[in-house]
Amino acid sequence: MSTIIKDIEIIRTTSTTINEVDFDNLTFGSVFSDHMLVCDYKDGEWQMPKIMPYQPVTLDPSAKIFHYGQSVFEGMKAYKDADENVWLFRPEQNCKRLNISSHRLAIPELPESYFMEGLKALLELDKDWIPTKDGSSLYIRPFVFASGNGFHASPADEYKFIICTAPSGAYFSGDVKVLIEETYSRSADGGVGFAKAGGNYAGQFYPTQLAKEKGYQQVIWTDDHKHEYIEEAGAMNIFVRINDTLITGPTSDRILDGITRKSIIELAEAENIPVEVRKITVKEVVEAANNGSLKEMFGAGTAAVISPISGFGYKDKDYELPKLEKTYASYLKQRITDIQTNKVEDPFGWRYKV
Ligand code: PLP
Ligand code: COI
C-alpha cells in the first residue's frame, strides 16, 4: 500500500517531562516520551495520523479490545550516534510483521507510509529523548487495537494505531535462568503464536509467574504436542550452542519470526560461525548439558538484544551453563549493537537513518 502522507498534524506538548528523567539509570519501558502518534481507523479506512502529547486514551467500556482482545503490537528501538544522527534497525520488517499480525487478528492492515512517515515524524520531534549511554535506547512501541464498540463477538469496525516511546535500559537485570516448560503451551498449530498479539503475552503470565516463584526469569516454551522441542522464550527467540555450532529452531505458526533472530543467523554465517536452523529437542540439550558439549544458550530479541542464559531447569533439575571467557553471545551482541548504533560499517543494509 503506497498511501502518501504529506503533513502530519502535530500538537506539541506545553509541559515537557524530560528534565524529570534520570537518563543514566533507565529501567525498561517505564517512563514515556512527550509525544505519541495516533491514527484512527473508521468509516472503512485509516485516517491521517496525528502527533499529540502523550496522554490517556478514552474508550467506551464496550470497546472490543476489552472483551475480545483484538490487539497487536511491535517492539523497536531508536539509537543516536555521536553526531546526533538517529537510527532504526530494519524498521520495514516491523511494519511488515505488524500487518501480518493484524491480518491474523482480522484487524485492517495499515499503509506502510503511515507507519514509517509517522514514526519518523515522532522521532524527529522527540529526538532529545533518545538515550546515548551504552546499552540504552529509545524503545518504540507501535500497536493497534479494537476501539470500536459492541458485545457481538466479531471484529470491531474501529481501531486505533498508536506509537509511543520510552527511553529504556536493559530488559533483564542480571542473570537469566529459564525453565523448560513441560505442562503449559504458549501456542498451537494453526493458532496465533507467530503473531505479536497481546493475548499471546497474557497467556504466558501465569506459567511465567510459577516459574518466577521457582527462581527462573523466563519460560522456554516447547511444542504443544509433546513438549519435546525447544521453541522460544516469553520475549525472545532462543539459540543454543553445542560444541561450536549455533542452533536455533525453525519458525512456524507457533513461533514469532524475530528480527533479531534472523539478523543473528545472517551475521553468524557471515562470520563463519557454523549455524543450523533445525528443530532442537529438549533431550539433546539435556544430554549436551550432561556431557559438557552445551557451551551456551542465549535469547535474542529487540528488548532482550542478546541475553545470555546462565542455566535452565527441567524436570525439577537445574543445569548450569559453563562460564566461558569468549562467547558467541557477547561477540554477536557487540557486532549487532555496533551496527545498530552506527559504530561500524553495516554490510547488510539493516541500519535506517531517520
Ligand atoms: N519471541 C517473542 C515471543 C517476542 O516477544 C519477541 C520480541 O519481540 C521475540 C521473539 C524477538 O523478536 P524481535 O527480534 O523481532 O524483537
Ligand atoms: C520486544 O522485544 O520488543 C518485545 O516486544 C518483547 C516484549 C515482551 C518486551
Side-chain angles (χ1 to χ4, degrees):
M1 277 181 269
S2 62
T3 313
I4 306 296
I5 46 173
K6 288 199 182 75
D7 298 310
I8 296 179
E9 187 189 338
I10 298 178
I11 306 166
R12 286 169 187 266
T13 184
T14 50
S15 54
T16 180
T17 52
I18 199 163
N19 297 325
E20 293 161 25
V21 180
D22 179 359
F23 278 88
D24 286 329
N25 294 294
L26 292 167
T27 55
F28 178 84
S30 50
V31 289
F32 305 97
S33 321
D34 280 335
H35 297 93
M36 64 187 196
L37 179 108
V38 180
C39 182
D40 287 307
Y41 179 90
K42 59 180 179 190
D43 304 326
E45 59 185 353
W46 285 103
Q47 309 294 309
M48 276 295 139
K50 280 185 198 161
I51 291 177
M52 57 185 72
Y54 180 81
Q55 61 191 278
V57 176
T58 306
L59 293 173
D60 271 15
S62 60
K64 291 200 179 190
I65 175 62
F66 296 133
H67 308 276
Y68 304 121
Q70 226 190 337
S71 84
V72 296
F73 72 96
E74 271 303 320
M76 314 168 69
K77 281 177 173 172
Y79 313 89
K80 197 156 58 177
D81 67 20
D83 299 321
E84 300 272 306
N85 297 307
V86 176
W87 301 95
L88 291 165
F89 185 69
R90 310 185 78 176
E92 70 296 337
Q93 294 280 328
N94 295 93
C95 180
K96 197 169 140 204
R97 191 172 63 188
L98 185 74
N99 278 335
I100 290 172
S101 302
S102 288
H103 185 78
R104 179 62 180 82
L105 275 278
I107 294 173
E109 288 165 45
L110 188 77
E112 189 183 318
S113 58
Y114 286 24
F115 184 101
M116 291 302 298
E117 299 307 315
L119 177 56
K120 281 197 281 183
L122 182 66
L123 291 176
E124 271 157 28
L125 190 63
D126 278 347
K127 193 176 169 188
D128 292 347
W129 285 83
I130 306 174
T132 47
K133 195 180 164 194
D134 254 10
S136 55
S137 59
L138 187 72
Y139 185 74
I140 303 166
R141 178 50 64 84
F143 59 108
V144 187
F145 63 92
S147 51
N149 301 332
F151 291 151
H152 197 277
S154 52
D157 56 0
E158 293 187 1
Y159 297 85
K160 271 186 191 296
F161 167 58
I162 297 182
I163 308 180
C164 41
T165 65
S168 293
Y171 188 71
F172 294 110
S173 48
D175 270 13
V176 183
K177 265 180 74 190
V178 294
L179 181 68
I180 299 183
E181 185 59 52
E182 297 165 61
T183 309
Y184 298 97
S185 297
R186 173 185 176 275
S187 57
D189 284 345
V192 295
F194 68 92
K196 223 164 151 53
N200 283 341
Y201 296 80
Q204 302 189 103
F205 290 164
Y206 175 66
T208 306
Q209 249 171 15
L210 298 180
K212 281 191 174 152
E213 281 164 19
K214 294 182 187 163
Y216 306 98
Q217 283 72 46
Q218 290 256 294
V219 166
I220 292 206
W221 298 103
T222 46
D223 64 284
D224 61 305
H225 301 258
K226 292 191 174 164
H227 302 288
E228 278 176 357
Y229 296 98
I230 301 272
E231 303 240 291
E232 65 174 323
M236 51 197 191
N237 297 109
I238 291 290
F239 284 80
V240 171
R241 172 181 168 189
I242 297 181
N243 292 318
D244 284 338
T245 305
L246 200 53
I247 316 167
T248 190
T251 52
S252 70
D253 56 3
R254 297 194 301 264
I255 298 179
L256 192 81
D257 185 3
I259 297 158
T260 318
R261 171 190 171 280
K262 64 175 109 178
S263 308
I264 288 172
I265 296 170
E266 273 193 64
L267 202 50
E269 280 169 349
E271 305 277 339
N272 294 320
I273 293 174
V275 190
E276 287 178 12
V277 177
R278 63 159 174 86
K279 289 179 145 198
I280 312 167
T281 61
V282 179
K283 193 166 162 252
E284 74 176 296
V285 173
V286 170
E287 272 172 19
N290 283 332
N291 68 26
S293 59
L294 182 67
K295 305 291 186 206
E296 292 180 59
M297 282 173 83
F298 58 83
T302 300
V305 195
I306 291 182
S307 292
I309 291 170
S310 60
F312 68 91
Y314 182 62
K315 288 201 189 297
D316 295 325
K317 204 173 156 194
D318 272 335
Y319 298 82
E320 264 195 40
L321 273 289
K323 290 181 179 54
L324 304 181
E325 223 169 83
K326 285 186 174 173
T327 61
Y328 285 169
S330 62
Y331 179 72
L332 292 166
K333 181 176 176 184
Q334 191 68 49
R335 283 287 290 135
I336 204 163
T337 51
D338 281 353
I339 291 175
Q340 287 166 332
T341 54
N342 194 28
K343 291 200 180 103
V344 293
E345 284 298 305
D346 170 15
F348 307 95
W350 289 334
R351 205 160 49 216
Y352 178 97
K353 194 163 186 216
V354 174

